[in-house]
Amino acid sequence: MKGGSFFMAKKWGSRIRNWMAQKMDLPQDVMMDLPRITMIGQIHIYIENHRGLLAFTDKELRLLLKQGQLLIKGKTFVIKTILPEEILLEGKIDQVIYINENPGGTK
């Protein structure tokens, strides 16, 4: 039952991070490895803590997250800055969508 103990340890680690974030007043995006998304109107979006660029056109940006993907749809997209875990996108943003599965269908 080694596989079961792995999942218990993973769940325990998640609980510890939650508790630490609450008790130490730390930002949950840092402790829980969540993306931080900052938007200015419909023209500018800055995403931190992503896992990589999956697709980009002038109408769509798709990023890999720790859990799932982030899909941004709109028009006249231009990537202004791209770093290993940060991206700055400009254009007309119409939709920001979370997709709960990773490429290849794994969850």
Side-chain angles (χ1 to χ4, degrees), residues 3 7 9 13-14 26-27 36 38 43 52 56 67 72 84 91 93 96:
F7 290 113
S14 177
L26 297 171
R36 178 180 291 244
T38 306
I43 59 167
F56 175 73
Q67 295 180 347
I72 302 164
I93 300 162
V96 179

Side-chain angles (χ1 to χ4, degrees), residues 51-97:
R51 300 292 174 122
L53 179 65
L54 295 174
F56 175 73
T57 68
D58 64 337
K59 296 179 180 137
E60 181 178 299
L61 175 84
R62 187 180 293 249
L63 295 171
L64 181 63
L65 305 175
K66 181 181 179 187
Q67 295 180 347
Q69 299 176 17
L70 184 68
L71 174 61
I72 302 164
K73 293 185 174 188
K75 298 175 186 81
T76 63
F77 285 169
V78 176
I79 295 175
K80 289 294 190 176
T81 305
I82 186 165
L83 300 168
E85 293 184 2
E86 301 173 27
I87 192 163
L88 172 59
L89 179 72
E90 290 184 356
K92 183 175 183 305
I93 300 162
D94 293 326
Q95 295 179 302
V96 179
I97 304 163

